């Protein structure tokens, strides 16, 4: 992997708000969107009125596969993703091309249309790619505006020198699309899991008894979903296989909704190819009814009901037993002898690591927003994590696991 490819990995799952203003280089914005999506960025486009004279919102919608935002005072758009929500959504705002007029409005702090308002309302890093006639670029007014913006921390990408659309030769061409993409990638750190595919199971499974009843457990999915978000933030491509939960999945993760342990197994096995790290945070039902009644079970005179159960496939053990397999991490939810039982699960299931969590504690475990854990590795190393929010714990677990995986790769 060369350094520019690895730099581009910092754009995986990044939310790029692309502002397009009214210059001839606006036609290159469509290509820019495609190239950003190629490397895993999510792109939403905002166009000024003048930009729409050069390239249509329909083109930008087609290339970004997202609605294009054009107006500040549009009730329909505000009912969908309003301007403040859009400003919060962005990890970065890139205005390309940025005309001399736009740079002047930005330098003055104007908020007279959607794009200028977003630039004021967002705390995300802001980058502009100036594109204009060479004389306009050289004008002292433009240069003062650019200096002011630079002083405020706005990133100025380009412009380039060369032949211009108007026939002039000089500074003012918009930076090449691939160079712009590289410059944008340089604003972000490459995450600790950049370039890795991470497969995560989360939540409970439901094992049907009859059309209206099932066996399940207390898992809310919070721990698994927090791990999925932490892996996304670390630059990984994330696939989340989730049992039935009432949570919103991380936007950048590909989520596969499943119901039963057998469904979960099928989804996991189908996703194994190319997976570098598998984290089994789901609370999978160990057993399911041998047969599912086609009609609702009725009470009978004996006042008892016996359910014959059969063991479910052990998903994490099956993954760990594959000849070519990802780094495989299980969870152990225990109410007693935490480390002893977790260690024996680690060995019995052939895992690389296991996260032992004490679910007897009132503070953590099932359905809580917090958790404490001990991460045990198969080589005998371990790491304790005190009680903290599941989001924080997930980030800490991902950092520890990534450093283990990366050092294991280096030593091979
Ligand atoms: O979802 P939350 O409310 O946030 O709660 C989080 C949690 C407590 C559910 C989670 O942190 C946790 O501990 N998950 C694993 C719970 C569990 O079922 O552990 P287990 O000891 O039964 O299973 C051990 C490991 O084998 C787990 O990684 C489990 O996903 C896996 N397993 C178990 C059975 C099975 N048939 N297939 C499996 O893959």
């Amino acid at each position: 992997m060369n350094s520019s490819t690895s730099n581009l990995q910092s754009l995986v799952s990044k939310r790029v708000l692309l502002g397009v203003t009214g210059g001839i280089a606006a036609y290159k914005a469509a290509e820019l969107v495609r190239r950003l999506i190629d490397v895993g960025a999510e792109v939403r486009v905002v166009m000024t009125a003048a930009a729409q004279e050069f390239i249509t919102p329909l083109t930008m919608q087609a290339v970004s596969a997202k609605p294009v935002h054009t107006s500040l005072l549009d009730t329909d758009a505000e009912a969908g993703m309003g301007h403040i929500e859009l400003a919060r959504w962005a990890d970065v705002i890139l205005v390309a091309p940025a005309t001399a007029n736009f740079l002047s409005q930005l330098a003055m702090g104007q908020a007279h249309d959607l794009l200028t308002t977003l630039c004021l309302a967002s705390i995300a890093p802001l980058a502009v790619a100036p594109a204009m006639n060479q004389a306009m670029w050289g004008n002292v007014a433009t240069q003062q505006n650019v200096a002011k913006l630079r002083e405020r921390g706005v990133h100025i990408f380009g412009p380039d020198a060369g032949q211009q659309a108007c026939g002039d030769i000089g500074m003012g061409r918009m930076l090449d699309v691939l160079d712009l993409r590289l410059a944008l990638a340089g604003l972000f750190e490459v995450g600790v899991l950049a370039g890795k595919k991470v497969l995560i199971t989360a939540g409970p499974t439901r094992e049907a008894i009859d059309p209206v009843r099932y066996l399940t457990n207390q898992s809310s999915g919070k721990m698994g979903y927090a791990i999925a978000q932490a892996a996304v933030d670390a630059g990984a491509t994330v696939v989340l296989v989730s049992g039935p939960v009432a949570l919103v999945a991380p936007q950048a993760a590909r989520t596969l909704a499943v119901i039963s342990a057998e469904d979960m197994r099928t989804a996991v096995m189908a996703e194994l190819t190319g997976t570098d790290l598998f984290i089994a945070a789901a609370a999978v039902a160990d057993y399911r009814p041998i047969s599912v009644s086609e009609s609702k079970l009725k009470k009978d005179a004996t006042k008892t009901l016996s359910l014959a159960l059969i063991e479910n496939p052990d998903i994490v053990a099956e993954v760990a037993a594959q000849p070519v397999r990802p780094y495989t991490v299980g969870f152990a939810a225990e109410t007693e002898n935490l480390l002893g039982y977790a260690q024996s699960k680690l060995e019995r299931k052939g895992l690389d690591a296991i996260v032992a969590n004490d679910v007897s504690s009132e503070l953590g475990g099932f359905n809580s927003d917090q958790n404490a854990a001990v991460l045990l590795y198969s080589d005998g190393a371990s790491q304790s994590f005190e009680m903290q929010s599941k989001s924080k714990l997930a980030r800490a677990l991902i950092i520890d696991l990534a450093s283990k995986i990366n050092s294991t790769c280096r030593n091979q």
Side-chain angles (χ1 to χ4, degrees), residues 205-263:
T205 64
R206 276 183 194 167
E207 311 301 327
I209 297 170
D210 69 15
V212 295
R213 302 184 180 96
Y214 50 78
L215 300 173
T216 191
N217 59 61
Q218 303 269 21
S219 170
S220 63
K222 288 177 184 170
M223 191 68 242
Y225 275 53
I227 289 175
Q229 184 64 61
V232 163
D233 294 343
T237 301
V238 176
V239 180
L240 175 62
V241 179
S242 173
V245 296
L247 299 175
V248 178
Q251 263 195 349
R254 185 154 57 84
T255 304
L256 307 172
V258 297
I259 305 284
S260 67
E262 286 185 304
D263 297 343

Side-chain angles (χ1 to χ4, degrees), residues 29-252:
E31 174 73 7
L32 179 57
V33 171
R34 292 300 270 267
R35 300 290 79 89
L36 288 169
I37 291 174
D38 282 351
V39 292
E42 203 183 323
V43 184
R44 280 185 178 265
V45 179
V46 176
M47 299 178 78
T48 63
Q52 295 167 60
E53 301 290 331
F54 289 89
I55 184 167
T56 67
L58 196 60
T59 303
M60 300 308 286
Q61 180 176 314
V63 289
S64 65
K66 291 278 177 342
V68 169
H69 307 265
T70 53
S71 171
L72 181 58
L73 305 171
D74 175 342
T75 42
D76 283 349
E78 287 294 303
M81 192 181 245
H83 68 281
I84 295 297
E85 219 177 328
L86 205 50
R88 287 193 190 128
W89 172 87
D91 290 322
V92 64
I93 300 180
L94 169 63
V95 182
T99 59
N101 182 42
F102 175 77
L103 294 177
S104 151
Q105 291 166 3
L106 199 61
M108 280 192 286
Q110 286 196 1
H112 73 286
D113 66 0
L114 180 58
L115 184 57
T116 46
T117 304
L118 285 172
C119 290
L120 276 188
S122 178
I123 54 164
L126 173 60
V128 295
M132 66 199 73
N133 166 269
Q134 52 85 25
M136 290 171 82
W137 173 252
N139 192 294
V140 67
T142 305
Q143 288 305 310
Q144 281 177 355
N145 287 333
V146 169
K148 203 186 271 182
L149 292 173
R150 202 174 260 129
E151 216 169 89
R152 276 188 216 150
V154 176
H155 303 274
I156 315 287
F157 295 161
D160 222 343
Q163 177 95 37
Q164 301 205 295
C166 56
D168 283 5
I169 294 176
M171 287 291 281
R173 282 166 59 93
M174 188 170 88
L175 216 57
D176 178 76
V177 162
L178 296 183
D179 290 338
L180 264 183
R181 183 176 69 173
L182 201 57
L184 194 68
L187 299 185
F188 297 100
E189 300 218 339
V190 177
V192 287
L193 286 178
K196 301 269 192 274
K197 176 179 172 185
V198 181
L199 179 61
I200 297 158
T201 63
T205 64
R206 276 183 194 167
E207 311 301 327
I209 297 170
D210 69 15
V212 295
R213 302 184 180 96
Y214 50 78
L215 300 173
T216 191
N217 59 61
Q218 303 269 21
S219 170
S220 63
K222 288 177 184 170
M223 191 68 242
Y225 275 53
I227 289 175
Q229 184 64 61
V232 163
D233 294 343
T237 301
V238 176
V239 180
L240 175 62
V241 179
S242 173
V245 296
L247 299 175
V248 178
Q251 263 195 349

Side-chain angles (χ1 to χ4, degrees), residues 335-400:
T335 52
E336 55 185 333
N337 186 18
L338 177 66
L339 297 184
Y341 286 151
Q343 180 66 34
S344 69
K345 271 181 194 165
L346 170 77
E347 288 165 18
R348 196 175 66 242
K349 296 185 186 231
L351 309 178
D352 295 304
I354 196 157
V355 182
N357 53 159
D358 179 358
V359 291
S360 69
S361 143
E362 273 181 17
L363 290 174
F366 286 97
N367 204 9
S368 162
D369 289 326
Q370 314 179 76
N371 213 4
V374 182
L375 178 54
L376 303 176
Y377 288 101
S378 57
D379 64 6
S382 69
Q383 179 70 43
S384 296
F385 301 92
E386 61 186 18
M387 187 64 70
Q388 54 194 303
S389 72
K390 283 184 175 169
S391 316
K392 268 192 166 178
L393 175 62
R395 284 197 291 272
L397 287 170
I398 285 294
I399 288 172
D400 214 89

